[in-house]
Amino acid sequence: MKTLTTLLASTGLALSLGSAAFAQENATVAFLMPDQASTRYEQHDYPGFKAEMEKLCASCTVIYQNANADVALQQQQFNSVIAQGAKVIVLDPVDSAAAAALVEIAQSQDVKVIAYDRPIPDKPADYYVSFDNQGIGKAIAQSLVEHLKAKGVPDGAGVLQINGSPTDAAAGLIRDGIHEALSASPYKTLAEFDTPDWAPPKAQEWAAGQITRFGDEIKGIVAANDGTGGGAIAALKAAGVKEMPPVTGNDATIAALQLIISGDQYNTISKPSEIVAAAAANVAVKLLKGETPEATHKLYETPSQLFVPAVVTAENIKAEIFDKGINKPEEVCTGEYVEGCRKLGIIN
C-alpha cells in the first residue's frame, strides 16, 4: 500500500511537472510598446524580442501591439492580451503612473509583468529591464559640457534642456541625469521643457521659441533623445542659425547618425535595443518556468537588469556603430552623407 501511494504520488508529480513544461512551451507572451514617435520599437525592440523568443521557446506565441502614445488604448491592449491567455506581459508604458493599475490587474490573475525600458515606480513589476536611463542623461550632458569646454566656451554661457515625456518615468531619470551633469558644470540652463509624448514637432516648436528669445546666447542644447534633438536642429535651421550649437541625442537612430556625420548633431547614445529585448525574452521564459531571474539592480523595489550604453560622437562613430556591426555603412552613408562618411573613414 505504501509503495502504491508512493508510486501514485510520484506519477502525479511527473504529470504535474509535465503539464507545467507543456504550458511553458506553448505559452503566450505579450510585448506591448508605447508609441510610434520613435522608430526603435518597430525596427529593433520587437524584432529583437521575437527572435530571442523563437530561440528560447519556439512553440510560444508572441503578441505584439503598439499603443501609439494612447494611455486608454494601451489599457485595452493590456486587457486584451490577458483575455488571450498571456502569462507574461512585457510592458513599456505610455504613462508610468497609470501602468501601476495594469500591474495590479495582471498580478491578481497570476500574470507576470516585465517593465521594459520605462520603470513603473508606483507598483513593483515582477522584473524591470532597461538601459541605465539616469546614466544616459548624465553621459550625454557631460559629453556636451566637455565639448563646450574644449571649444573654449566661457563659464556662465547658456544651454537649453529638452526632456522627454512628463508621463514617462524613464524620461524623468534621463532628466535627473542631465540635471546632475549640468549643475556640476560652469554653464547655466537658460530654459527647460518636458516634451509631451516625446513628439519631435513639439520639441521643435518649443526650441523655435527659445531661439527667438535667447538667440546666440544658446551655446548648446541637451536633448533627451534623437527625436527631440532632431526637432531642435530643425528649429535652428529654420531660424537661419549659421553657427549651430552642439545638440545631444539618445538612441542612435539612422537619422541621428546621419546628423552626426554631417556635423549637425554632436552626440547620441548607442544602445542597441536588441540587447534589452533579448534580455526581456530570457526573463520572460524564466518566469514561465517558475524560476526567479537574477537581478543586478533594484529600482523602485523591482528586481532589475540595467545595461550601460556608449556615447557616440563623430570621433568614435566608426568604432562604436559600424565596426561593431550595429549599422551597416550602406544604411547610413547615402546621398548627401556619403562625403561625410568618407571624411570619417566609414567608407573609402
Side-chain angles (χ1 to χ4, degrees):
M1 187 67 180
K2 184 177 179 182
T3 304
L4 179 60
T5 303
T6 304
L7 179 62
L8 288 172
S10 61
T11 304
L13 177 62
L15 288 171
S16 173
L17 291 173
S19 63
F22 180 81
Q24 182 267 317
E25 289 175 359
N26 295 277
T28 296
V29 175
F31 193 72
L32 305 185
M33 295 296 102
D35 62 62
Q36 295 179 4
S38 174
T39 58
R40 56 170 281 196
Y41 302 115
E42 311 287 329
Q43 296 179 2
H44 299 285
D45 295 80
Y46 172 56
F49 182 79
K50 185 179 180 184
E52 191 70 11
M53 282 298 300
E54 286 174 352
K55 290 180 191 174
L56 299 171
C57 184
S59 63
C60 284
T61 298
V62 176
I63 302 172
Y64 170 64
Q65 298 202 9
N66 189 302
N68 200 22
D70 187 327
V71 176
L73 177 58
Q74 186 165 70
Q75 182 170 352
Q76 291 171 13
Q77 292 172 343
F78 194 90
N79 292 334
S80 173
V81 297
I82 290 178
Q84 292 176 66
K87 293 302 179 187
V88 176
I89 300 175
V90 180
L91 175 66
D92 194 337
V94 174
D95 185 316
S96 296
L102 301 182
V103 174
E104 195 161 346
I105 290 168
Q107 292 177 345
S108 71
Q109 299 182 52
D110 200 27
V111 175
K112 305 294 186 183
V113 177
I114 301 170
Y116 182 86
D117 191 43
R118 303 174 181 181
I120 304 171
D122 297 334
K123 177 69 177 177
D126 295 282
Y127 205 87
Y128 173 51
V129 182
S130 181
F131 286 98
D132 180 354
N133 287 299
Q134 187 160 341
I136 287 171
K138 184 176 181 180
I140 58 176
Q142 189 61 43
S143 170
L144 182 78
V145 167
E146 295 302 326
H147 179 63
L148 294 177
K149 288 179 179 178
K151 286 178 61 181
V153 175
D155 293 1
V159 298
L160 298 178
Q161 180 174 339
I162 306 178
N163 303 317
S165 171
T167 63
D168 175 0
L173 292 170
I174 294 171
R175 177 202 62 215
D176 293 346
I178 294 170
H179 284 164
E180 186 180 347
L182 291 183
S183 64
S185 82
Y187 305 114
K188 66 179 180 181
T189 301
L190 298 170
E192 182 177 347
F193 178 63
D194 293 337
T195 309
D197 302 325
W198 289 93
K202 293 175 183 176
Q204 181 177 345
E205 181 182 357
W206 180 81
Q210 305 315 302
I211 293 164
T212 301
R213 181 181 175 190
F214 294 109
D216 59 9
E217 289 182 58
I218 302 168
K219 300 303 181 185
I221 300 177
V222 186
N225 79 341
D226 291 333
T228 55
I233 291 166
L236 291 164
K237 289 185 174 182
V241 175
K242 292 180 181 177
E243 188 174 348
M244 297 276 284
V247 179
T248 73
N250 162 34
D251 285 338
T253 63
I254 288 176
L257 297 176
Q258 291 174 329
L259 288 171
I260 289 173
I261 288 165
S262 68
D264 291 323
Q265 183 167 323
Y266 175 62
N267 73 21
T268 188
I269 288 284
S270 174
K271 50 176 193 181
S273 300
E274 291 87 350
I275 293 174
V276 181
N282 276 272
V283 172
V285 170
K286 282 184 169 66
L287 292 173
L288 287 171
K289 291 178 178 178
E291 299 175 6
T292 301
E294 291 184 13
T296 56
H297 298 76
K298 196 166 191 178
L299 190 67
Y300 299 118
E301 299 302 314
T302 304
S304 306
Q305 187 175 10
L306 304 178
F307 294 87
V308 179
V311 177
V312 176
T313 66
E315 291 180 359
N316 67 351
I317 191 171
K318 180 178 183 294
E320 286 292 339
I321 299 297
F322 300 101
D323 292 351
K324 291 183 177 180
I326 294 170
N327 286 97
K328 297 177 181 177
E330 54 265 31
E331 293 177 306
V332 180
C333 301
T334 59
E336 62 188 285
Y337 304 103
V338 170
E339 188 56 36
C341 284
R342 285 202 182 101
K343 287 180 181 178
L344 293 175
I346 298 167
I347 59 174
N348 298 320

